[in-house]
Amino acid sequence: MASTAINPASDALSPADLLASRRSIVPDALVGPGPSRAEIDRLVEIALRVPDHGRLSPWRLILVAGETKDRWVERLLALADTREDAAKVRVSTRKLACAPLVVVVVSAAIPGHKVPEWEQWLSAGAMCMNLLNGAHAMGYGANWLTGWHAYDAQATALLGLEEGQKVAGVVLVGSIAEPATPRPRVGAEDVARWLTL
Ligand SMILES: Cc1cc2nc3c(=O)[nH]c(=O)nc-3n(C[C@H](O)[C@H](O)[C@H](O)COP(=O)(O)O)c2cc1C
């Protein structure tokens, strides 16, 4: 059965307005119901529509949901407790608990390839962005996180990452319990300019 996403923005807006209206939803406000299996397949399809210089597929996706997600968070919390900064990292670990779907985007860049690794990393980042916009367009909220568990070797081992693979993003997806308010953004005049020669 299709789940009922609650994103007031997604139905009424043109595609351009939809893209211009995306906001990250705080993890606690990402709740069930999450996307259905068919919607997750669609989201993955959107994620894979990513530019990829040399067609290297320098990324992998790991979908985490249901009881596996609960076990993953429990094991991360156990790892968090072994760290000196346990109190702090427990807080960021708990951010993973609420959202019904977590998509871990893994950079699987090929070192030494004629396509620079930098470009392969960018492709993984673009995949995270596609997931955010895809979720938004489908009426769900999302948030692109990393956190200690993206960089800790024992934590990434839980995901089965291979040598050289890196977590590009831990993308939380769920229905929106509390819409985000607009945040101040830099103006185009601060960061964009026309080249004049
Ligand atoms: C690579 C990357 C990693 C991020 N990791 C975190 C994170 O661990 N925790 C966090 O609160 N925000 C993180 N953010 C920021 C959020 O994704 C988001 O951009 C921020 O909450 C601002 O919201 P907005 O997307 O509505 O502008 C990260 C962003 C990027 C690009």
Side-chain angles (χ1 to χ4, degrees):
M1 193 175 74
S3 50
T4 46
I6 313 151
N7 179 351
S10 63
D11 280 344
L13 300 178
S14 70
D17 284 343
L18 192 69
L19 290 175
S21 68
R22 186 209 59 82
R23 271 235 55 196
S24 297
I25 304 298
V26 291
D28 285 350
L30 290 170
V31 297
S36 66
R37 196 56 186 256
E39 288 173 320
I40 292 171
D41 289 349
R42 185 77 168 142
L43 195 55
V44 169
E45 184 189 348
I46 293 167
L48 292 174
R49 277 263 160 173
V50 71
D52 167 13
H53 190 175
R55 289 171 55 185
L56 300 176
S57 307
W59 14 252
R60 299 290 180 271
L61 293 173
I62 303 171
L63 303 165
V64 194
E67 288 174 8
T68 301
K69 202 193 73 136
D70 297 342
R71 281 195 286 276
W72 179 51
V73 173
E74 266 170 39
R75 290 190 200 174
L76 287 175
L77 286 170
L79 281 178
D81 282 341
T82 65
R83 295 170 55 109
E84 278 183 11
D85 56 351
K88 189 174 141 213
V89 298
R90 281 186 78 84
V91 172
S92 59
T93 309
R94 286 201 182 285
K95 287 185 183 177
L96 306 173
C98 199
L101 174 68
V102 178
V103 186
V104 182
V105 178
V106 176
S107 163
I110 302 162
H113 195 276
K114 69 177 180 189
V115 174
E117 270 193 90
W118 158 243
E119 296 187 14
Q120 301 180 52
W121 295 337
L122 289 173
S123 185
M127 180 169 268
C128 296
M129 196 65 231
N130 269 13
L131 283 168
L132 295 186
N133 280 329
H136 183 50
M138 291 166 67
Y140 291 96
N143 200 326
W144 176 356
L145 305 179
T146 44
W148 70 276
H149 46 85
Y151 298 100
D152 178 284
Q154 285 178 292
T156 55
L158 289 177
L159 296 166
L161 260 58
E162 292 170 21
E163 181 73 22
Q165 294 187 343
K166 294 178 199 296
V167 173
V170 176
V171 180
L172 312 188
V173 182
S175 293
I176 301 170
E178 177 75 38
T181 50
R183 73 166 172 89
R185 298 208 171 247
V186 292
E189 64 283 5
D190 296 322
V191 292
R193 64 186 170 83
W194 289 99
L195 180 64
T196 48
L197 293 175

